[in-house]
Amino acid sequence: MTDPILIVHDISITFPDRNGSLDALDTVSFTVLPREFVCVLGPSGSGKSTLLRILAGLLEPTSGSFSFAGGRPKIGMVFQQSNLMPWRTALENITLPLELQGVQADEAHARSQELIDLVGLQGFESSWPRDLSGGMAQRVAIARALIHDPDILLLDEPFGSLDALTREHMWTELSHIWQRRQKTVLMVTHSIGESLILADRVLVLTQRPGKIKLDLEVDLPRPRADEMRYTAHFGELARRLKEAIG
Amino acid sequence: MDWKLPLRGKPPRTSRRSLHWTAFASLAAALLGWWLVSRFAGLPAFILPAPEQVAVRFWKALTDGSLLVHTAATLTEVLLGLLAGTIAAVTLGYAIAKSRLFEQLVSPYLVATQAIPIVAIAPLLVIWFGPGIFSKVLICALIVFFPVLVNTVVGVRAVPRPFHDLMHSLRATRGQIIRMLEVPAALPVLLGGLRVGATLSVIGAVVGELVGSDHGLGFLVNVGRGQYDTALVFVAVFTLIALALALYGLVSFLERKLLIWQEAFER
Ligand SMILES: Nc1ncnc2c1ncn2[C@@H]1O[C@H](COP(=O)(O)OP(=O)(O)O)[C@@H](O)[C@H]1O
Ligand SMILES: [Mg+2]
């Protein structure tokens, strides 16, 4: 057995609220192995985004703790909205993490080239974000999350704002990227189908306060094609997830 | 011109080109009307000089060097006041935007200063700081301060939280967040404030000079009035208009250069 890259231990968080307080997460514990693709599935308001924000160091949990193997990790984050800075071109958005690390511009451009090929953005390098389609913008966001070679990818419903066709296309691309780049991925979603197409494991969060109700191994063979959705085993896994969400 | 109160949100953006044309057309019409009135109304020249008299006076003031000297004096006050007022307003505005506590601490004073009409305290400032350039720069800075401050606060506060999340998740330093996120994000609103401030600064300088000074275009207005040289008053006023327009154009130019990523500035 390999050692986990992330150990989450009994994390709870309570937000102050107009009428008292709001429990968003309740004693959430799980581990993630290196290069594992884990989906966090749950209804809206179950604290999925809050969990990612805690792991990214943007929020302090009220109680509990988490630790990454090898100390503070480099994080690549993708948000539901592509979150591109409108005053930067696609390329400049992708190289932002390197710029923050003080990497020289010419080296940053050289390092971005491979990623631009990987996510299929050739020819759009100097486009402004407002001229990119939703799918294109999310590709830029994914490239930006990968460029500084992060230890873990935190994805918060990255395809939630895309239309169904583009979304399925992006699933294939993300699987491909994940296999090529050997990254550990923790991805939040509220789509059962999405989690079964992408993940090695699915954690189900309950309605508020979010608590882990099910930790499901997805033992479907890879690469996973769309047809797999119509197999009996896929249906069985989907049924169990649906039951857990309630 | 943008005489809207700089309360919140972005100032409206019209195409500079059409704005220039409208301004040009209305100027030409006004000139024609002026000429007709001076020609046929039979007013004495110290009430309304004819356009050609003003042109002659302009040439004289230009060739004897006085116009240049006084324009340079006013421009210096305007620019220094704009600079000082903007630096103070952006610094304080940033602090207010970032800290509710600081906002609550200083906002009563800021609101109170807004209730003081600058025109009314200009004589006081001239008494305190003398008729030299300093009192004028101070008046300009004071008049520029508030609109730029308000726009700075609005601009910095309006930076979407997900951008901050992104920067923090990438462990950006405070300086990097200011330089690579807050400044570019707030720039459109800030430049809107500067556009208002630039024209206000011209007003501030003239008010100061009218109150008491021995240089500047406001001083020239006083001289012309005292000597019944109304043509000179016209020359000074037109030079002031040109000055304000030039500053306005400069800020617009900056907007076009710096905000190229905004659709409104694409050709
Ligand atoms: N900063 C915050 N302050 C107060 N309440 C918050 C904050 N962030 C999230 N919440 C609340 O916590 C709950 C979980 O939110 P979130 O993590 O965004 O859920 P999800 O991403 O699963 O839809 C929601 O009820 C939300 O209103
Ligand atoms: Mg969410």
Side-chain angles (χ1 to χ4, degrees):
Chain A
M1 269 305 284
T2 41
D3 289 330
I5 189 175
L6 166 65
I7 302 173
V8 177
H9 181 70
D10 274 354
I11 281 186
S12 301
I13 188 164
T14 304
F15 291 114
D17 191 52
R18 243 174 286 109
N19 30 353
S21 60
L22 184 148
D23 295 324
L25 290 171
D26 178 23
T27 57
V28 169
S29 298
F30 62 93
T31 58
V32 177
L33 297 176
R35 291 183 297 285
E36 204 173 14
F37 196 128
V38 177
C39 272
V40 178
L41 186 68
S44 185
S46 56
K48 306 183 296 293
S49 298
T50 303
L51 179 62
L52 281 201
R53 287 168 54 78
I54 290 173
L55 297 177
L58 305 172
L59 265 181
E60 278 289 314
T62 312
S63 65
S65 63
F66 64 94
S67 61
F68 284 93
R72 201 174 167 194
K74 274 193 284 182
I75 284 169
M77 233 179 153
V78 179
F79 304 81
Q80 180 162 3
Q81 301 302 325
S82 57
N83 215 3
L84 303 181
M85 294 181 172
W87 53 87
R88 288 174 164 256
T89 61
L91 181 67
E92 289 166 346
N93 267 288
I94 293 173
T95 55
L96 174 78
L98 295 183
E99 227 175 290
L100 290 171
Q101 290 176 358
V103 175
Q104 293 300 312
D106 43 350
E107 199 201 321
H109 284 194
R111 279 170 69 178
S112 68
Q113 211 46 59
E114 190 198 349
L115 273 169
I116 284 167
D117 293 344
L118 186 68
V119 298
L121 274 168
Q122 303 92 330
F124 289 89
E125 289 91 338
S126 52
S127 299
W128 296 109
R130 62 177 157 79
D131 295 330
L132 297 174
S133 67
M136 275 298 183
Q138 219 42 298
R139 285 192 177 96
V140 174
I142 290 171
R144 176 177 64 187
L146 285 166
I147 196 164
H148 56 308
D149 196 24
D151 303 306
I152 187 164
L153 274 178
L154 301 177
L155 315 180
D156 191 354
E157 305 193 35
F159 311 133
S161 60
L162 304 182
D163 61 88
L165 272 176
T166 314
R167 190 182 314 141
E168 290 181 19
H169 197 77
M170 297 296 289
W171 291 346
T172 319
E173 292 195 9
L174 181 60
S175 294
H176 181 73
I177 289 168
W178 170 70
Q179 271 163 344
R180 283 271 299 274
R181 287 270 164 157
Q182 304 265 300
K183 289 288 171 205
T184 310
V185 180
L186 188 63
M187 172 167 154
V188 157
T189 174
H190 60 238
S191 154
I192 290 174
E194 182 167 280
S195 67
L196 288 178
I197 291 283
L198 291 172
D200 295 321
R201 263 168 67 214
V202 182
L203 308 173
V204 178
L205 278 183
T206 56
Q207 194 60 262
R208 204 170 57 225
K211 206 172 165 55
I212 291 192
K213 193 160 174 199
L214 180 67
D215 185 339
L216 183 75
E217 193 87 22
V218 182
D219 50 359
L220 295 166
R222 287 181 192 270
R224 294 178 190 161
D226 208 39
E227 304 84 71
M228 201 170 273
R229 295 194 204 217
Y230 310 109
T231 62
H233 190 49
F234 190 103
E236 165 64 15
L237 293 173
R239 192 190 56 75
R240 289 180 60 191
L241 290 176
K242 194 162 190 116
E243 230 172 54
I245 293 172
Chain B
M1 260 190 226
D2 192 11
W3 291 117
K4 245 175 63 93
L5 285 177
L7 287 179
R8 59 180 56 235
K10 284 184 199 174
R13 258 188 210 92
T14 35
S15 133
R16 297 283 163 276
R17 199 159 299 239
S18 81
L19 199 129
H20 284 159
W21 273 111
T22 342
F24 182 77
S26 89
L27 272 177
L31 197 66
L32 183 69
W34 173 20
W35 183 79
L36 287 172
V37 172
S38 70
R39 177 87 203 230
F40 298 109
L43 296 168
F46 73 86
I47 300 286
L48 185 71
E52 61 270 22
Q53 288 172 304
V54 173
V56 168
R57 190 66 187 86
F58 175 79
W59 184 249
K60 182 163 171 270
L62 195 66
T63 45
D64 70 13
S66 60
L67 187 62
L68 238 51
V69 168
H70 292 294
T71 305
T74 301
L75 186 62
T76 308
E77 294 159 2
V78 165
L79 289 180
L80 285 178
L82 194 59
L83 188 71
T86 301
I87 289 174
V90 168
T91 315
L92 204 65
Y94 186 78
I96 289 172
K98 298 307 272 188
S99 159
R100 292 276 169 195
L101 182 71
F102 188 66
E103 180 190 6
Q104 279 163 8
L105 218 63
V106 298
S107 64
Y109 299 100
L110 291 175
V111 173
T113 56
Q114 266 313 281
I116 304 170
I118 292 287
V119 180
I121 62 159
L124 208 56
L125 295 174
V126 173
I127 291 169
W128 287 343
F129 300 105
I133 186 171
F134 183 75
S135 57
K136 317 302 179 299
V137 172
L138 194 62
I139 294 165
C140 292
L142 284 174
I143 212 167
V144 161
F145 179 75
F146 203 70
V148 177
L149 176 107
V150 170
N151 281 36
T152 304
V153 176
V154 169
V156 172
R157 285 242 170 104
V159 179
R161 189 179 80 167
F163 285 152
H164 280 288
D165 284 355
L166 174 71
M167 293 297 270
H168 285 298
S169 78
L170 293 167
R171 296 192 220 162
T173 62
R174 187 74 185 261
Q176 285 174 327
I177 289 175
I178 293 177
R179 193 162 43 83
M180 290 158 79
L181 172 58
E182 289 175 328
V183 169
L187 205 57
V189 186
L190 187 67
L191 285 174
L194 205 61
R195 189 141 44 95
V196 176
T199 35
L200 285 179
S201 189
V202 176
I203 296 174
V206 175
V207 164
E209 288 165 0
L210 283 175
V211 167
S213 85
D214 48 12
H215 60 262
L217 291 167
F219 167 72
L220 220 52
V221 168
N222 264 347
V223 169
R225 194 186 55 174
Q227 300 173 349
Y228 292 93
D229 186 357
T230 310
L232 180 61
V233 177
F234 271 68
V235 169
V237 169
F238 283 139
T239 311
L240 280 168
I241 292 172
L243 208 64
L245 283 177
L247 284 172
Y248 185 88
L250 189 71
V251 179
S252 300
F253 174 78
L254 274 179
E255 283 184 324
R256 273 201 299 278
K257 280 281 159 210
L258 295 174
L259 307 181
I260 191 140
W261 49 274
Q262 280 192 343
E263 209 145 15
F265 291 96
E266 298 263 304
R267 271 142 298 179

